[in-house]
């Protein structure tokens, strides 16, 4: 069993980033809500615990908290921002509202250079985001770093291996943030760093074999990275007891079915069934405009189809899905203090009663980790490098009601867009690129005639794992070429706009 760092979430916008940074250092970690029971924490035997930041004040009524006994379990603890204030509050110190709220860059002056700050540059930049600060340290603690505004910007109880820092080491603006996290993981928590793609593959195949036994599994294959990696892991684990089903739901991109089937059948020997259910999905989506309702209808329809196909195959016990860690986090399936952002069709979009048991081998992974695992198990680069495509497909890229005509228009727009960024050599620089069809029409002029046609949005982002994303700075000449082609070649579109929002505050997909 691999070593574990436990992250307790107090609602910080950066909690997922802490997990990403730790995983980058080849240490496995999991995020749980701040109120995870002590017995569960003990059972997991973590190498260390990180208390995240959060928007609350420790002295507010109803502020998220932990049991004081967590500091007596003997596990190394690192409190970040709110996490530091919480430990000061619980262990006999005092927290106050700072005279000057501190958001943004600050300079850290290091008072003790060993353990947590080993090799960290003095007077380096750190990222602050707080309105409160520690006024009095608890007994047994000493200052290890300060800023002009925070006299106790970093503190420790060395004998108990309890550390608190006011700033955020996980964000890139903290110059030596990775060194600080590395020091906590390896110098203080004594981690080995055994979280690698190979260790994940070996452990997951073993786990699938143990859990599934002689059971039979079907998997929804979309041809994307997640479902492809899921399929190969299951095939390696249970062989002939595994069947893939590709559902043509009518919500796919142009020629997608043919490309996926050709790529998969030419590279792998998996039993692949192709099911055409375009009419059923479109019928179920008729008149529906609410994005959450769309996702739930698509999730329910998928499950209905899989259960029908499972009956044809005889006794099937499991449905495998390529659910990822960000899917669980965004759907708030662990009931943390962060708000639900949207339902994912393979998380909250499933019906409550389902005849097949779920198996989700990738639910611990972020997207870039899935790609590393895919490379480890020999998945072709044309699959690994594909941009993410949502489970509900084009349905969540058509705002408003989904119709066959709108789907056809969006498919043509999308193909021109993707072709042109590939021709420009930009595809691999972009994490995700796609077009959105708006329920908005605008006036245009073509030739000597007035038009009143659809507006389409082009979206392209750079990201590591989809948890945060920046809009891609598309060269103007490429945008111009794409826009000209779309307006000239796609009947029904007379205006093209480019989305320049980042995540947060926007999500990557529009619905």
């Amino acid at each position: 069993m691999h070593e574990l760092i436990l992250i307790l979430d107090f609602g910080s916008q950066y909690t997922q980033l802490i997990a990403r940074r730790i995983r980058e250092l080849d240490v496995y970690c999991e995020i749980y809500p701040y109120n995870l029971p002590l017995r569960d924490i003990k059972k997991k035997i973590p190498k260390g615990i990180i208390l995240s930041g959060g928007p609350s004040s420790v002295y507010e009524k109803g502020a998220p908290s932990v049991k004081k006994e967590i500091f007596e379990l003997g596990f190394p603890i690192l409190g970040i921002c709110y996490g530091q204030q919480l430990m000061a509050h619980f262990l006999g110190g005092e927290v106050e509202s700072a005279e000057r709220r501190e958001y943004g860059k600050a300079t850290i002056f290091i008072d003790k250079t060993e353990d947590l700050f080993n090799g960290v540059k003095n007077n380096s930049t750190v990222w602050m985001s707080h309105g409160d600060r520690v006024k009095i340290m608890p007994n047994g603690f000493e200052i290890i770093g300060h800023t002009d505004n925070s006299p106790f910007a970093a503190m420790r109880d060395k004998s108990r291996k309890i550390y608190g820092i006011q700033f955020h080491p996980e964000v890139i603006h903290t110059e030596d943030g990775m060194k600080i996290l590395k020091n906590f993981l390896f110098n203080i928590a004594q981690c080995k760093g055994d979280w690698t793609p190979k260790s994940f593959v070996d452990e997951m195949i073993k786990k699938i074999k143990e859990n599934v036994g002689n059971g039979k599994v079907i998997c929804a294959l979309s041809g994307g990275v997640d479902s492809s990696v899921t399929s190969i892991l299951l095939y390696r684990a249970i062989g002939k007891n595994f069947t893939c089903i590709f559902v043509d739901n009518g919500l796919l991109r142009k020629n997608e079915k043919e490309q996926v089937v050709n790529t998969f059948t030419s590279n792998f020997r998996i039993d692949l069934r192709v099911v055409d259910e375009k009419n059923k999905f479109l019928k179920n989506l008729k008149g529906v405009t609410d994005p959450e309702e769309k996702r739930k209808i698509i999730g329910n329809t998928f499950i209905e189809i899989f259960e029908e196909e499972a009956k044809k195959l005889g006794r099937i016990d499991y449905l495998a899905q390529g659910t990822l860690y960000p899917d669980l986090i965004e759907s708030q399936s662990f009931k943390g203090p962060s708000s639900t952002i949207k339902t994912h069709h393979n998380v909250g979009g499933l019906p409550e009663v389902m005849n097949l048991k779920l198996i989700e081998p990738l639910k611990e992974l972020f997207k870039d980790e899935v790609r590393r695992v895919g490379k480890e198990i020999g998945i072709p680069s044309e699959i690994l490098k594909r941009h993410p495509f949502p489970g509900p497909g084009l349905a969540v890229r058509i705002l408003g009601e989904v119709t066959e005509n709108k789907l056809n228009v969006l498919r043509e727009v999308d193909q021109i867009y993707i072709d042109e960024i590939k021709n420009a050599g930009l595809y691999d620089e972009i994490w995700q690129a796609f077009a959105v069809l708006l329920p908005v029409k605008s006036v245009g002029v073509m030739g000597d005639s007035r038009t009143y046609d659809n507006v389409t949005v082009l979206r392209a982002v750079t990201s590591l794992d989809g948890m945060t994303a920046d809009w891609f700075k598309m060269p103007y000449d490429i945008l111009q070429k794409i826009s000209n082609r779309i307006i000239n070649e796609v009947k029904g579109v007379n205006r093209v706009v480019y989305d320049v929002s980042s995540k947060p505050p926007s999500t990557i997909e529009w619905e």
Side-chain angles (χ1 to χ4, degrees):
M1 186 67 185
H2 46 69
E3 55 197 6
L4 169 70
I5 291 290
L6 209 57
I7 302 168
L8 297 185
D9 177 28
F10 292 89
S12 169
Q13 60 180 318
Y14 301 130
T15 300
Q16 292 81 28
L17 204 47
I18 300 170
R20 284 296 312 116
R21 297 291 179 249
I22 292 171
R23 298 272 187 97
E24 283 169 30
L25 293 166
D26 293 335
V27 174
Y28 181 66
C29 62
E30 290 179 350
I31 300 169
Y32 285 93
Y34 65 89
N35 54 2
L36 184 70
L38 280 173
R39 65 178 180 278
D40 292 347
I41 294 173
K42 287 181 194 170
K43 205 184 295 179
K44 290 179 181 296
I45 321 174
K47 296 287 285 184
I49 298 170
I50 293 180
L51 309 178
S52 86
S56 305
S57 292
V58 292
Y59 41 75
E60 276 176 5
K61 190 179 177 184
S65 190
V66 291
K67 297 280 186 192
K68 187 179 177 181
E69 290 79 6
I70 196 171
F71 300 105
E72 296 159 14
L73 295 176
F75 302 123
I77 294 177
L78 174 64
I80 296 174
C81 197
Y82 183 81
Q84 183 208 34
Q85 294 159 18
L86 200 66
M87 67 172 60
H89 181 67
F90 264 118
L91 297 174
E94 194 177 320
V95 177
E96 67 175 356
S97 180
E99 288 176 20
R100 183 164 60 88
R101 295 164 79 84
E102 201 169 15
Y103 294 100
K105 293 179 180 179
T107 300
I108 184 86
F109 304 103
I110 295 170
D111 300 297
K112 303 279 182 182
T113 56
E114 71 270 24
D115 59 34
L116 193 66
F117 288 147
N118 183 35
V120 174
K121 192 171 65 178
N122 196 12
N123 302 349
S124 63
T125 299
V126 295
W127 186 260
M128 294 286 192
S129 180
H130 67 101
D132 296 343
R133 66 181 184 184
V134 175
K135 181 183 179 185
I136 300 172
M137 288 189 301
N139 288 337
F141 278 77
E142 60 181 331
I143 302 170
I144 58 173
H146 67 278
T147 68
D148 287 338
N149 192 46
S150 295
F152 308 113
M155 63 185 198
R156 73 179 176 195
D157 180 333
K158 195 174 181 181
S159 63
R160 290 200 285 171
K161 294 189 174 181
I162 299 176
Y163 293 74
I165 52 178
Q166 181 60 71
F167 57 90
H168 290 271
E170 68 273 21
V171 302
I172 56 169
H173 311 296
T174 296
E175 276 184 76
D176 280 342
M178 284 297 273
K179 274 188 189 170
I180 293 166
L181 288 174
K182 196 173 183 180
N183 285 335
F184 177 72
L185 296 174
F186 299 108
N187 295 350
I188 296 163
Q190 299 291 300
C191 293
K192 295 193 288 289
D194 60 2
W195 174 246
T196 63
K198 186 177 185 312
S199 70
F200 173 83
V201 170
D202 293 344
E203 191 175 315
M204 187 50 63
I205 288 174
K206 185 182 170 195
K207 200 181 282 185
I208 292 168
K209 282 179 178 173
E210 287 170 0
N211 291 346
V212 173
N214 291 320
K216 296 197 171 181
V217 183
I218 56 172
C219 177
L221 177 69
S222 68
V225 180
D226 310 335
S227 66
S228 299
V229 172
T230 299
S231 299
I232 301 309
L233 283 172
L234 279 149
Y235 177 66
R236 283 201 180 181
I238 60 172
K240 61 180 175 26
N241 283 345
F242 175 65
T243 302
C244 265
I245 296 173
F246 181 90
V247 176
D248 184 356
N249 58 9
L251 308 171
L252 304 171
R253 292 166 289 196
K254 194 172 180 182
N255 302 324
E256 189 154 23
K257 179 174 80 172
E258 294 75 18
Q259 288 167 4
V260 169
V261 172
N262 289 341
T263 302
F264 225 76
T265 51
S266 60
N267 285 284
F268 307 107
R269 295 180 183 176
I270 292 171
D271 179 14
L272 175 61
R273 313 286 173 98
V274 181
V275 185
D276 187 339
E277 292 285 1
K278 293 192 283 282
N279 293 338
K280 182 180 277 192
F281 279 90
L282 275 174
K283 184 184 170 190
N284 290 353
L285 287 167
K286 189 174 173 61
V288 178
T289 57
D290 180 73
E292 281 295 279
E293 200 180 337
K294 280 184 196 175
R295 287 175 177 270
K296 287 199 163 85
I297 286 169
I298 291 164
N300 287 346
T301 308
F302 263 118
I303 296 302
E304 279 173 32
I305 290 163
F306 283 123
E307 292 191 339
E308 287 166 14
E309 292 304 312
K311 284 174 192 167
K312 293 178 192 173
L313 291 165
R315 183 183 63 83
I316 297 289
D317 307 285
Y318 293 90
L319 166 64
Q321 292 196 136
T323 308
L324 303 190
Y325 206 29
D327 296 340
L328 297 178
I329 293 165
E330 287 199 342
S331 297
Q332 201 197 357
S333 47
F334 58 71
K335 304 298 180 202
S338 308
S339 62
T340 299
I341 298 167
K342 61 191 175 191
T343 299
H344 287 263
H345 86 285
N346 53 348
V347 184
L350 293 175
E352 288 179 23
V353 179
M354 194 171 70
N355 296 327
L356 299 172
K357 287 174 277 186
L358 265 183
I359 183 165
E360 299 168 305
L362 307 181
K363 68 180 179 182
E364 300 168 340
L365 301 185
F366 289 93
K367 191 79 175 188
D368 61 309
E369 293 172 324
V370 176
R371 288 196 169 102
R372 287 169 63 200
V373 168
K375 189 175 180 184
E376 176 70 28
I377 60 179
I379 287 178
S381 62
E382 64 261 31
I383 292 177
L384 288 182
K385 290 183 177 179
R386 281 185 83 193
H387 289 181
F389 187 60
L394 299 181
V396 290
R397 293 178 180 175
I398 293 172
L399 275 59
E401 184 184 6
V402 179
T403 66
E404 195 159 2
N405 180 55
K406 289 179 186 176
L407 285 162
N408 289 334
V409 168
L410 185 55
R411 280 191 192 100
E412 295 302 322
V413 170
D414 186 80
Q415 176 145 39
I416 290 169
Y417 183 28
I418 300 302
D419 282 351
E420 287 301 332
I421 61 174
K422 282 182 176 176
N423 292 340
L426 298 174
Y427 187 81
D428 290 343
E429 289 181 36
I430 298 167
W431 194 75
Q432 190 171 7
F434 58 91
V436 177
L437 195 64
L438 298 185
V440 171
K441 290 193 171 186
S442 73
V443 174
V445 179
M446 287 190 182
D448 294 323
S449 303
R450 174 188 185 275
T451 62
Y452 190 56
D453 281 328
N454 294 99
V455 179
T456 191
V457 179
L458 304 180
R459 177 88 158 127
V461 298
T462 56
S463 180
L464 183 64
D465 49 44
M467 296 308 303
T468 59
D470 289 323
W471 61 277
F472 180 72
K473 314 307 183 278
M474 188 79 70
Y476 291 159
D477 58 330
I478 305 302
L479 273 177
Q480 183 180 26
K481 191 174 182 184
I482 294 165
S483 175
N484 286 345
R485 276 198 64 194
I486 289 169
I487 291 169
N488 287 324
E489 296 175 32
V490 183
K491 192 177 178 185
V493 175
N494 69 356
R495 192 174 298 271
V496 175
V497 298
Y498 191 63
D499 184 346
V500 294
S501 356
S502 295
K503 175 186 180 180
S506 304
T507 53
I508 295 175
E509 297 286 348
W510 274 52
E511 286 195 341

